[in-house]
Amino acid sequence: MHEQVRDYKVTQEPYYRAVGDEVDLYEAAYAVRMPMMLKGPTGCGKTRFVEYMAWKLGKPLITVACNEDMTASDLVGRYLLDANGTRWQDGPLTLAARHGAICYLDEVVEARQDTVVVIHPLTDNRRVLPLEKKGELVEAHKDFQLVISYNPGYQSLMKDLKQSTKQRFGALDFGYPEADVEKEIVSHETGVSNDVAGKLVGVAERARNLKGHGLDEGISTRMLVHAGSLIAREVDPLAACRMALVRPLTDDPDMRDALDAAVTTFF
Ligand code: ADP
């Protein structure tokens, strides 16, 4: 592995509880270097999955959290000024393409369209990345793969991926795991008993039913892990649920009270 990407190697096996055939499907996609899109709400295991797959495939993983201020240069690279003049510095996407890492662009819809288009030549047969400012055409390393995550729930006309971008990817759907699996994840991640994990999942199921009826998003697995970690530290479960599950989710006093009431039916 090239020294420039060695630090990005996933050295320890991440805990990932498969929910279906996504591991096999991803391996097949990687074998043909298909760019992949992981779709699903926030906090449902997309990042953990890609970390696990990078570990399993033995490839370095370079992750970029996308935001609307991000420019193409933030991905591709730029000239920097130093004592000896100017020096080119590869951005994360170039680093991954050049040296054969998996590049994970998290929440790619947050980036502007003119930023997102830089990935196009890397995601078709050419597998190249033009560095316009540098006058270089980088040919992607054989191990390079591009992965993006995408939350269809946030989708608005202003913030959606273009078909010309979407159609370059294979896509896997992620969602909140079914109750027994989610219980297992929460208890494994936090150390709380199966019984407590089951109650947390119960609260989440109630809240998820309110999605679209006053809530934009449901309680994610990530939030359950937060609540479980507090309870494992002997925080009172009611206080833990209010702080980790209810308050972050809603600013609406009626909704907050309804969710607090749901918590008290479990704890
Ligand atoms: P996102 O979908 O936003 O990328 P993450 O992958 O960061 O979400 O998941 C949030 C947390 O939920 C993880 O840190 C992990 O604790 C837990 N988690 C969710 N799904 C799984 C899973 N299938 N296996 C293991 N942990 C999971």
Side-chain angles (χ1 to χ4, degrees), residues 15-17 41-48 185 189 221-222 225:
Y15 166 72
Y16 178 71
R17 167 62 161 87
T42 183
C44 72
K46 302 183 294 297
T47 302
R48 182 62 66 87
I185 294 170
E189 289 279 277
T221 310
R222 176 189 294 123
V225 169

Side-chain angles (χ1 to χ4, degrees), residues 47 86 101 105 122 129-130 138 149 180 265:
T47 302
T86 55
L105 304 181
L122 274 174
L129 179 62
V138 177
S149 79
D180 277 346
T265 66

Side-chain angles (χ1 to χ4, degrees), residues 135-153:
E136 182 188 346
L137 189 68
V138 177
E139 293 206 16
H141 186 286
K142 64 173 181 30
D143 291 350
F144 168 76
Q145 188 199 22
L146 186 68
V147 185
I148 62 178
S149 79
Y150 168 64
N151 180 349

Side-chain angles (χ1 to χ4, degrees), residues 123-250:
T123 50
D124 57 31
N125 287 336
R126 293 172 286 170
R127 284 182 47 101
V128 293
L129 179 62
L131 307 181
E132 275 168 28
K133 288 189 185 138
K134 190 163 182 264
E136 182 188 346
L137 189 68
V138 177
E139 293 206 16
H141 186 286
K142 64 173 181 30
D143 291 350
F144 168 76
Q145 188 199 22
L146 186 68
V147 185
I148 62 178
S149 79
Y150 168 64
N151 180 349
Y154 291 157
Q155 184 177 335
S156 71
L157 277 181
M158 290 303 291
K159 267 201 180 159
D160 191 13
L161 287 177
K162 289 202 239 176
Q163 281 293 332
S164 61
T165 302
K166 282 185 185 171
Q167 294 196 8
R168 294 161 183 274
F169 291 82
L172 285 172
D173 272 328
F174 284 75
Y176 309 123
E178 56 143 305
D180 277 346
V181 175
E182 193 166 41
K183 223 160 85 177
E184 194 183 314
I185 294 170
V186 173
S187 132
H188 182 280
E189 289 279 277
T190 64
V192 295
S193 68
N194 234 4
D195 178 49
V196 170
K199 291 180 178 178
L200 289 171
V201 172
V203 174
E205 281 179 337
R206 291 275 182 92
R208 287 167 191 167
N209 289 333
L210 295 172
K211 187 174 167 187
H213 305 278
L215 281 184
D216 298 335
E217 284 276 313
I219 288 177
S220 64
T221 310
R222 176 189 294 123
M223 297 172 92
L224 297 183
V225 169
H226 282 168
S229 317
L230 296 174
I231 297 171
R233 291 185 54 96
E234 319 242 302
V235 174
D236 166 46
L238 278 178
C241 289
R242 285 178 189 147
M243 177 163 111
L245 305 181
V246 179
R247 300 299 176 276
L249 200 62
T250 181

